[in-house]
Amino acid sequence: MNQKVSDIFKANKIKNTVQRQRVYEYMTSCKEPITADTLYIELSKDKSFDDIINLSTIYRILELFVKHNLVLKNSFGNDHRATFEMNLREHKHHLICVECNKITTIKGCPLKTYEKDLGDLTNFKILEHRLEIFGVCPKCQSDKNSH
Amino acid sequence: MNQKVSDIFKANKIKNTVQRQRVYEYMTSCKEPITADTLYIELSKDKSFDDIINLSTIYRILELFVKHNLVLKNSFGNDHRATFEMNLREHKHHLICVECNKITTIKGCPLKTYEKDLGDLTNFKILEHRLEIFGVCPKCQSDKNSH
DNA sequence: ACGCAAATGCAAATCAGTTGCATTTGCGTT
DNA sequence: AACGCAAATGCAACTGATTTGCATTTGCGT
């Protein structure tokens, strides 16, 4: 059992279970957002545990982590499935390849001053924004050219 | 039969049917994005036609229009349902009130130069982006203060 | 007006996600 | 270290949105 993870659970009043440990640890190792069923498949591959975590348990754990702000939930582009990623508490955006659906995380943001101007203009209290940029990744560009 | 609409269909090689006319005309009258089943309900209310368009037909028509770029498909915030709106072929963004879910369309865009820089940096061929800004609209702000 | 490909209606299937309920597990208490 | 019970899990059945197969109907070129 990873001591650090159980401490995080304790701090959030989240009961410590094997399943939650496994989901948390796998999520931490992910560099990009992941869907619930991909997570299910990946965790099922791990032979160091005898049993497979039930998919509905994975959904329940992910929603719990989202509720505690440990994890962020999104959905991108054409893919209507939700994706999840650890909440690193940094402002970022996603660059999504329209061919292969690969998601690349972009740090930094060009919108700080724009939000202020927009708030002044519309009298909305601006809270946050979501920016997704769509394009074709280098790999898919070269795959296309070779046909 | 609206002559203008059938001309648009002809120009797009879309076979002219009563159902497609009705969907097209209703969509044109919408100021904000609409879901397939709201569209279904609204069209069903119209007593000037004897029959109700089947929901799966509505989905098929919407997808057809999306394929022809007459209509744009989105989905916002937590709502997992797809929304559709006429493609007015102008670049815009949406400002969504987190209290009442009202969607306000914003013309103009602060991201033109950013996209170029990002393409240079990542070697992606940047195609488009989606920016949604979340906040509290003036009405919901004053509703809150009066409690 | 005819014929046929394409569009529609309908019902059944699918896909992602959720829920009810019986069983199991973690954890505070003794 | 064992007990008890609320909370978590597994499983199967359900839901809501969307899609699909197929029989019937409709639009449009000839």
Side-chain angles (χ1 to χ4, degrees), chain B residues 2-102:
Chain B
N2 184 323
Q3 190 53 43
K4 279 180 196 147
V5 175
S6 66
D7 285 348
I8 292 163
F9 288 173
K10 195 165 285 178
N12 283 276
K13 296 196 178 65
I14 290 173
K15 197 154 130 184
N16 189 20
T17 68
V18 188
Q19 292 87 341
R20 289 173 179 178
Q21 288 267 345
R22 287 222 266 156
V23 170
Y24 193 94
E25 279 171 16
Y26 192 88
M27 291 295 291
T28 307
S29 76
C30 293
K31 282 174 216 73
E32 303 299 348
I34 188 173
T35 61
D37 69 278
T38 306
L39 182 55
Y40 175 68
I41 292 164
E42 290 304 315
L43 288 175
S44 301
K45 282 179 188 164
D46 186 345
K47 302 293 189 203
S48 54
F49 295 89
D50 344 328
D51 30 48
I52 289 168
I53 305 177
N54 192 279
L55 182 56
S56 62
T57 303
I58 289 179
Y59 276 108
R60 281 191 274 230
I61 291 172
L62 287 170
E63 288 301 335
L64 179 76
F65 289 172
V66 168
K67 208 179 70 190
H68 284 272
N69 263 299
L70 298 171
V71 161
L72 299 175
K73 182 178 181 176
N74 293 109
S75 82
F76 297 110
N78 305 329
D79 199 339
H80 48 307
R81 290 173 306 170
T83 59
F84 301 85
E85 62 186 313
M86 290 312 289
N87 182 2
L88 303 175
R89 285 156 214 278
E90 60 187 10
H91 189 75
K92 60 174 179 299
H93 297 301
H94 296 279
L95 177 54
I96 300 140
C97 177
V98 297
E99 302 286 338
C100 66
N101 285 314
K102 187 180 176 319

Side-chain angles (χ1 to χ4, degrees), chain A residues 61-140:
Chain A
I61 291 173
L62 287 171
E63 288 301 337
L64 179 76
F65 289 172
V66 168
K67 208 179 71 190
H68 284 272
N69 263 301
L70 298 171
V71 161
L72 299 175
K73 182 178 183 178
N74 291 110
S75 85
F76 298 110
N78 305 330
D79 199 339
H80 47 307
R81 291 174 304 171
T83 60
F84 301 86
E85 62 186 312
M86 292 310 291
N87 183 2
L88 303 174
R89 288 158 213 277
E90 62 188 8
H91 187 77
K92 61 172 177 302
H93 297 301
H94 294 101
L95 177 54
I96 300 135
C97 177
V98 296
E99 302 286 338
C100 67
N101 284 314
K102 187 180 177 318
I103 299 166
T104 307
T105 299
I106 305 160
K107 293 179 185 180
C109 174
L111 291 167
K112 291 180 218 322
T113 56
Y114 178 69
E115 281 199 346
K116 176 161 188 343
D117 295 346
L118 187 66
D120 292 347
L121 183 70
T122 61
N123 291 318
F124 267 62
K125 183 168 70 176
I126 306 291
L127 299 173
E128 56 172 332
H129 63 257
R130 179 174 304 169
L131 172 62
E132 292 144 31
I133 300 136
F134 298 90
V136 184
C137 72
K139 186 175 177 311
C140 289

Side-chain angles (χ1 to χ4, degrees), chain A residues 15-18 56 59-60 63 80-82:
Chain A
K15 197 155 133 183
N16 189 19
T17 68
V18 189
S56 62
Y59 276 110
R60 281 190 275 230
E63 288 301 337
H80 47 307
R81 291 174 304 171

